[in-house]
Amino acid sequence: MRVLTARDDTLLVELDDLDQAVALYESLTTDPVRGVGVPVPGARTLLVPFRPSAITAGDLAAELRSRPLERRATSAARTVEIRVRYDGADLAEAAELLGWSADELVRRHTGAAWTVGFVGFAPGFAYLTSDDPELVVPRRASPRTRVPAGSVALAGPYSGIYPRESPGGWQLVGRTDAPVWDVTRERPALMLPGDQVRFVAVQEKVRLRETAETAGPAVPGVGHGSGGVEVVGAGVQALVQDLGRPGSEGAGVSASGALDRPSLRAANRAAGNPSGTAAIESVGGLRLRARGPQVLAVTGAAGDIVVRPGARTEPAAAPGTTTPARPDRRPLPGEPFALDDGDELRLAPSARGVRAYVAVRGGIDVLPVLGSRATDVLAGLGPDPLGPGDLLPVGVPGRGVPAAGGAPPSGDLPAPGEVTELSIVLGPRDDWFDAATLARLTGQDWLVTPRSNRIGLRLDGDPLTRVPDRRGAELPSEGCVTGAIQVPPDGLPVLFLADHPLTGGYPVIGAVVADHVPLAGQLPAGARVRLTIQNHPGGTP
């Protein structure tokens, strides 16, 4: 067992194989450690988040090393049966690669005993391993841009089922209508680590499901009735966000949620809400209209905040006099303000930062998915991005939550052309790079490119190179934290943000410390980033 640093509040445990990874996962889920979050299994690793205030990295590493690495008895494992029509586009090619007939491939696939090793890539996508050592097929040389939901596929020693339509490079051998991911169930993922799976060949037609049937309601709770706040213009992007859905990582779901959580909390405090209440995350140009009286607050990357009065019936003026028009108002960031029915809020893009947060007293009351109202753009969970005409219902304000104004000034946010310093910890795969490359990581200013989004920041600069014996090597999929700095083959880092994939196969050279992740989420295109190494505060794992 090797225990590596993945972030200042996360360890990555490297084990001999998948069985040991699942055994440690089972140990931590059946006998949890105080202060430790939901672990994320990988092909031969376990990502273990923890609260440094509850347990140090060193003490947690010692506890992990003391855990048994033996799987639970197979008889105690849950068995899932998957009915498959074996007519996949790659069935013949995959069989030829193995030197078998298509019938032989089907016979071996259905005859093998499959086990869920880990869940990643997409919510509910289970990586299955078998007891047939010869059932190993290379990925496709050219990935497809569209793989339908329900496709049964092979890649390397794994088999898997695509829960929703997505790109993919696995060999497609069949189809199933098994509901492998359904957010309306108590257990949304049909298969979880440690489950046993048996494939059964069927001849009847299988209807491949559309994404909307597996990902839940497209826009839960958004309508066109009366009461709430109406989206007049969404600007570049407007999403419903809260503090995310932690605790679902075992099903392949990242926490997601607001990129700048301190600003979300500050907006809610100013509006008189509990700090994790759902609000709107806006990237420039948002326009809202009040349907009924509302109280709002804006924080984060807010440019000019303008309240434009709506049309209102006024008492008749005395003869010879006029009723003066109500003037526009310009509330300050972090301070609550009222909108009357029909009034409009207009947010100008900010010169600093990227994302503003608009809280409404009572909160945005769309339907929660897996306990959260957050939109995860990669996983397709939560409400769709907001558009003109969407009416967002507002909840009933809670009692005893006083409004508390004041928010971090937007002047502290990064701007294009300026250099922002982010603290990082090295690991878990810094040993894939030599000392000169590590010096290049921290010795230059990285440019944030326009291809950045909620999934990650794409950085441009002098590329990073792997040590010679790691060039061209593949890293088995392993869990990644928000803030992880992944290095793809071109050497240009990707800094993962809230909607990143839960597992990845490129080496992570380091990770932004937890306290600096919100600042990373406010970096605009054109900003420059200087990465500085921070010693691990909780001791060496």
Side-chain angles (χ1 to χ4, degrees):
M1 180 188 294
R2 282 209 308 162
V3 182
L4 309 170
T5 298
R7 200 172 69 179
D8 56 319
D9 58 357
T10 310
L11 300 179
L12 184 76
V13 185
E14 186 178 80
L15 300 137
D16 289 340
D17 52 32
L18 181 58
D19 276 351
Q20 288 190 358
V22 175
L24 185 57
Y25 170 81
E26 291 172 352
S27 173
L28 290 175
T29 52
T30 56
D31 182 17
V33 179
R34 179 177 175 272
V36 171
V38 177
V40 179
R44 55 184 182 88
T45 59
L46 193 70
L47 191 73
V48 184
F50 66 95
R51 272 197 339 272
S53 60
I55 188 170
T56 67
D59 288 345
L60 176 55
E63 173 64 27
L64 294 171
R65 290 189 176 101
S66 73
R67 292 295 177 112
L69 298 179
E70 296 177 358
R71 296 287 308 279
R72 64 185 178 184
T74 302
S75 59
R78 183 172 175 271
T79 299
V80 179
E81 185 176 283
I82 303 293
R83 292 159 47 87
V84 181
R85 181 180 174 92
Y86 285 93
D87 59 355
D90 303 320
L91 178 63
E93 181 180 346
E96 185 178 352
L97 289 169
L98 290 165
W100 302 339
S101 67
D103 287 345
E104 177 68 5
L105 175 52
V106 173
R107 187 185 71 79
R108 300 281 284 264
H109 193 254
T110 56
W114 295 90
T115 303
V116 180
F118 59 102
V119 182
F121 172 66
F125 188 97
Y127 287 75
L128 311 176
T129 61
S130 81
D131 60 353
D132 187 339
E134 296 182 1
L135 199 51
V136 179
V137 182
R139 293 171 181 263
R140 288 175 52 85
S142 177
R144 289 182 170 86
T145 58
R146 178 182 177 275
V147 175
S151 296
V152 179
L154 298 170
Y158 302 110
S159 189
I161 302 170
Y162 284 80
R164 63 194 303 264
E165 182 182 304
S166 64
W170 288 32
Q171 307 279 2
L172 307 185
V173 297
R175 297 174 289 174
T176 182
D177 56 9
V180 295
W181 176 255
D182 183 351
V183 296
T184 65
R185 294 189 303 231
E186 182 179 353
R187 171 178 151 150
L190 182 63
M191 297 171 285
L192 292 176
D195 286 349
Q196 306 296 306
V197 178
R198 187 167 72 93
F199 291 102
V200 178
V202 298
Q203 297 304 316
E204 59 263 33
K205 266 193 168 183
V206 171
R207 182 176 67 89
L208 292 183
R209 295 163 284 109
E210 296 298 325
T211 296
E213 295 180 29
T214 60
V219 191
V222 177
H224 296 271
S226 61
V229 288
E230 178 188 352
V231 180
V232 179
V236 177
Q237 185 183 64
L239 306 170
V240 177
Q241 294 294 346
D242 55 20
L243 294 180
R245 46 183 65 86
S248 299
E249 291 86 352
V253 180
S254 64
S256 187
L259 293 190
D260 183 353
R261 295 185 177 198
S263 289
L264 174 81
R265 291 187 177 102
N268 276 316
R269 286 196 299 269
N273 294 330
S275 61
T277 302
I280 299 172
E281 181 181 86
S282 167
V283 181
L286 179 68
R287 291 176 59 195
L288 300 176
R289 180 180 294 127
R291 294 302 187 190
Q294 308 293 344
V295 175
L296 287 77
V298 180
T299 60
D304 285 341
I305 306 171
V306 178
V307 174
R308 181 151 295 176
R312 184 189 295 177
T313 303
E314 301 285 356
T321 64
T322 60
T323 301
R326 291 184 295 151
D328 290 351
R329 291 177 287 145
R330 286 178 162 76
L332 296 174
E335 297 295 337
F337 57 92
L339 296 184
D340 290 326
D341 182 46
D343 287 357
E344 281 192 15
L345 166 67
R346 301 186 178 191
L347 287 184
S350 175
R352 311 188 73 89
V354 180
R355 294 168 175 88
Y357 292 86
V358 182
V360 185
R361 183 168 295 172
I364 304 300
D365 195 23
V366 296
L367 295 176
V369 177
L370 299 182
S372 168
R373 295 174 170 85
T375 298
D376 185 330
V377 298
L378 179 66
L381 295 177
D384 278 348
L386 302 178
D390 286 342
L391 182 69
L392 299 173
V394 173
V396 177
R399 296 184 177 181
V401 183
S410 60
D412 292 343
L413 296 176
E418 294 183 359
V419 177
T420 297
E421 188 174 292
L422 296 178
S423 294
I424 66 169
V425 291
L426 292 178
R429 300 300 173 190
D430 52 308
D431 58 349
W432 283 50
F433 306 90
D434 60 20
T437 300
L438 295 177
R440 195 153 61 246
L441 172 71
T442 58
Q444 63 176 306
D445 295 338
W446 295 94
L447 177 68
V448 178
T449 74
R451 294 190 300 149
S452 303
N453 52 31
R454 279 184 53 90
I455 297 169
L457 300 176
R458 294 184 178 271
L459 306 180
D460 194 18
D462 192 4
L464 306 176
T465 54
R466 300 180 186 180
V467 294
D469 63 343
R470 296 289 190 178
R471 292 172 191 167
E474 290 193 11
L475 181 70
S477 291
E478 59 189 28
C480 298
V481 298
T482 301
I485 303 167
Q486 194 180 68
V487 184
D490 65 6
L492 297 178
V494 178
L495 197 164
F496 278 163
L497 296 180
D499 291 356
H500 68 88
L502 199 62
T503 59
Y506 295 137
V508 171
I509 193 171
V512 175
V513 299
D515 286 348
H516 280 195
V517 167
L519 182 58
Q522 289 285 15
L523 285 165
R528 295 190 171 274
V529 181
R530 176 61 68 107
L531 304 173
T532 60
I533 297 174
Q534 172 179 300
N535 292 329
H536 198 290
T540 302

